[in-house]
């Protein structure tokens, strides 16, 4: 999808969207927006008006009442406005108020029926629509949501990577699983993909690392929660930062502006080596799988089941030791060999 027709196509990157998790009061909105002005790369001011909460009775947002506060903030700062929508009525209220950008949250994108209804409510407007990944690590669901919006005629689209729910996501609130947004970028070339470090991290100290990784991985911009008084925020206290902290975070990022230089000889040489090495890795994997198949046949002959816990335990122990000696990242090698082993078991059945 060559998606050049989006609201940020002419904005030099990285595009920053910042503002509180939730709009709480007119004063909080105006003070936060004022304090954010002058932040490098800041393009839009975000605030949630309708907050999807896990338990009823928690602060569920101020709703439509906050729309005039946001318009006032835009008049004061010239920033675009970004608001989360979760129902067709929210989309209609945003269109009517003249909001520039809406995003569909992680809990909403999991429901294809709601997405179709939201898409039809949005098809009458000119808003830019950002699609967050679903809470569960399901790339197809994310792709499907984007396709549904495209099908409804929405041209101005972007995606937001906000991490995924996982059995064990520590130290993050939502595990990043970068391979999923990277695959999304491959599926939709030209689609601007943002990163929301706030909801990935869930805590302030981890934000700079994730923001930097997002830029390193080619994300178009960042959505970061910033509140004038984070310690007294009504939602997401531990991940929101003050506008001053946000300015420091942005100033500390290493922002690369170079373009792909295909004619660059050194780059071509390195890439040729990588291509050759990948070829060798694939040939070795193919040989390994052939042996797995032979082992599988033999195990059948001697009435042995494919998975042998003791053998696997000694294999992984040995590979991790070897990896450590070669200065390879332990988690990466563990994940890689878990996959290789699983595929090998499949070959044996
Ligand atoms: C938010 O951006 O405040 C939010 C609720 O996001 P998510 O849908 O990613 O949880
Ligand atoms: Mn939030």
């Amino acid at each position: 999808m060559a998606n050049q027709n989006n609201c940020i196509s002419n904005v030099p990157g990285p595009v920053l969207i910042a503002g509180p998790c939730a709009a709480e009061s007119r004063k909080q909105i105006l003070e936060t927006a004022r304090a954010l002005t002058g932040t490098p790369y800041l393009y839009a001011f975000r605030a949630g008006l309708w907050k999807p909460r896990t338990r009823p009775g928690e602060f569920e947002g101020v709703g439509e009442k906050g729309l005039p506060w946001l318009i006032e903030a835009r008049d004061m700062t010239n920033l675009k406005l970004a608001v989360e929508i979760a129902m067709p009525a929210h989309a209609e209220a945003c269109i009517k108020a003249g909001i520039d950008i809406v995003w569909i949250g992680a809990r909403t994108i999991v429901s294809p029926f709601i997405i179709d209804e939201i898409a039809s409510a949005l098809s009458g407007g000119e808003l830019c629509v950002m699609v967050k990944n679903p809470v569960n690590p399901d790339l197809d669901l994310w792709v499907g949501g984007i396709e549904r919006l495209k099908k409804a005629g929405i041209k101005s689209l972007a995606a937001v990577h906000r991490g995924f729910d996982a059995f064990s996501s520590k130290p993050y609130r939502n595990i990043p699983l970068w391979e999923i947004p990277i695959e999304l970028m491959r599926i939709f070339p030209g689609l601007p993909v943002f990163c929301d470090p706030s909801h990935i991290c869930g805590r302030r100290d981890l934000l700079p690392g994730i923001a930097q990784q997002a830029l390193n991985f080619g994300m178009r911009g960042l959505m970061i929660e910033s509140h004038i008084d984070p310690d007294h925020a009504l939602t997401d206290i531990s991940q929101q930062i003050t506008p001053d902290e946000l300015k420091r975070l942005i100033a500390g990022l290493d922002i690369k502006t170079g373009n792909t230089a295909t004619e660059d000889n050194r780059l071509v040489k390195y890439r040729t080596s990588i291509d050759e090495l990948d070829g060798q890795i694939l040939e070795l994997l193919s040989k390994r799988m052939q042996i797995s198949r032979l082992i599988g046949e033999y195990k059948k002959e001697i009435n042995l089941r494919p998975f042998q816990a003791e053998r696997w335990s000694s294999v992984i122990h040995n590979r991790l030791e070897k990896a450590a000696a070669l200065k390879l990242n332990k988690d990466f090698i563990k994940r890689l060999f878990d996959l290789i082993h699983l595929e090998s078991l499949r070959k044996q059945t």
Side-chain angles (χ1 to χ4, degrees):
M1 176 177 79
N3 188 332
Q4 299 315 324
N5 184 9
N6 65 68
C7 61
I8 52 136
S9 50
N10 296 319
V11 185
V15 177
L16 178 62
I17 300 176
C21 175
E24 298 166 4
S25 67
R26 175 174 173 270
K27 183 167 176 278
Q28 169 244 12
I29 285 296
L30 295 180
E31 284 183 3
T32 307
R34 188 176 298 117
L36 280 170
T37 54
T39 309
Y41 303 102
L42 184 60
Y43 174 70
F45 180 71
R46 66 151 276 160
L49 298 177
W50 300 277
K51 298 303 299 175
R53 304 312 300 275
T54 306
R55 305 282 297 273
E58 294 177 340
F59 175 66
E60 289 184 332
V62 296
E64 284 190 34
K65 194 172 88 185
L67 283 166
W69 309 340
L70 294 181
I71 304 297
E72 231 181 297
R74 181 173 60 193
D75 290 345
M76 181 178 73
T77 60
N78 250 335
L79 292 167
K80 302 272 185 207
L81 296 174
V83 171
E84 174 172 353
I85 54 167
M87 301 211 293
H90 302 161
E92 282 150 20
C94 285
I95 293 172
K96 199 160 147 225
I99 297 298
D100 309 284
I101 303 165
V102 290
W103 79 85
I104 298 174
R107 290 164 196 77
T108 309
I109 199 69
V110 295
S111 169
F113 290 128
I114 292 279
I115 297 306
D116 277 340
E117 285 192 19
I118 291 177
S120 106
L122 287 172
S123 60
E126 297 283 301
L127 295 89
C128 171
V129 183
M130 304 184 91
V131 185
K132 285 200 169 192
N133 64 258
V135 276
N136 51 324
D138 185 340
L139 174 66
D140 268 352
L141 206 49
W142 199 4
V143 169
I146 294 166
E147 285 171 346
R148 282 171 198 278
L149 292 158
K150 268 168 62 83
K151 227 171 111 192
I154 294 152
K155 296 197 174 58
S156 190
L157 279 167
V160 185
H161 168 227
R162 49 78 76 198
F164 300 90
D165 197 15
F167 172 62
S168 165
S169 60
K170 281 188 177 55
Y172 304 108
R173 177 179 173 188
N174 291 290
I175 196 162
L177 302 178
W178 295 102
E179 61 276 22
I180 295 183
I182 287 171
E183 179 62 3
L184 188 82
M185 291 193 251
R186 192 190 64 77
I187 293 172
F188 294 125
L191 176 75
V193 180
F194 282 66
C195 177
D196 169 351
S198 305
H199 290 89
I200 290 178
C201 297
R203 48 186 251 208
R204 295 165 195 156
D205 60 319
L206 299 173
L207 293 171
I210 289 291
Q212 184 64 58
Q213 279 196 62
L215 298 185
N216 296 349
F217 293 156
M219 307 256 156
R220 182 69 172 84
L222 300 169
M223 181 190 270
I224 300 182
E225 288 185 343
S226 177
H227 188 293
I228 194 69
D229 183 8
D231 289 334
H232 296 100
L234 298 182
T235 56
D236 287 351
I237 287 190
S238 46
Q239 71 195 32
Q240 301 207 62
I241 54 176
T242 64
D244 279 347
E245 285 165 338
L246 179 66
K247 284 177 192 163
R248 281 198 291 277
L249 187 160
I250 300 297
L253 292 174
D254 178 9
I255 295 169
K256 305 270 191 268
T257 50
N259 281 320
T260 325
T262 38
E263 72 287 358
D264 181 323
N265 279 338
R266 220 159 115 191
L267 198 60
V268 169
K269 216 174 103 206
Y270 288 143
R271 284 180 170 165
T272 309
S273 300
I274 293 274
D275 291 347
E276 279 168 17
L277 289 168
D278 282 353
Q280 289 173 25
I281 291 174
L282 288 171
E283 275 167 29
L284 285 173
L285 279 174
S286 162
K287 273 189 201 149
R288 197 186 190 286
M289 291 306 156
Q290 277 167 33
I291 301 283
S292 294
R293 211 172 288 131
L294 292 177
I295 293 185
E297 280 165 20
Y298 184 60
K299 281 182 183 163
K300 241 177 245 160
E301 261 176 60
I302 59 170
N303 208 20
L304 204 62
R305 59 178 146 65
F307 179 62
Q308 296 294 322
E310 252 174 57
R311 164 71 179 153
W312 170 235
S313 165
S314 97
V315 167
I316 193 69
H317 179 79
N318 165 282
R319 305 308 183 259
L320 290 178
E321 253 184 9
K322 204 159 188 175
L326 291 167
K327 297 205 165 26
L328 286 162
N329 178 292
K330 189 177 159 202
D331 290 342
F332 160 62
I333 295 301
K334 174 75 171 55
R335 280 200 290 152
L336 181 65
F337 272 90
D338 278 346
L339 281 176
I340 291 176
H341 179 235
L342 207 62
E343 182 62 14
S344 168
L345 288 179
R346 268 192 213 109
K347 288 275 171 294
Q348 297 181 32
T349 48

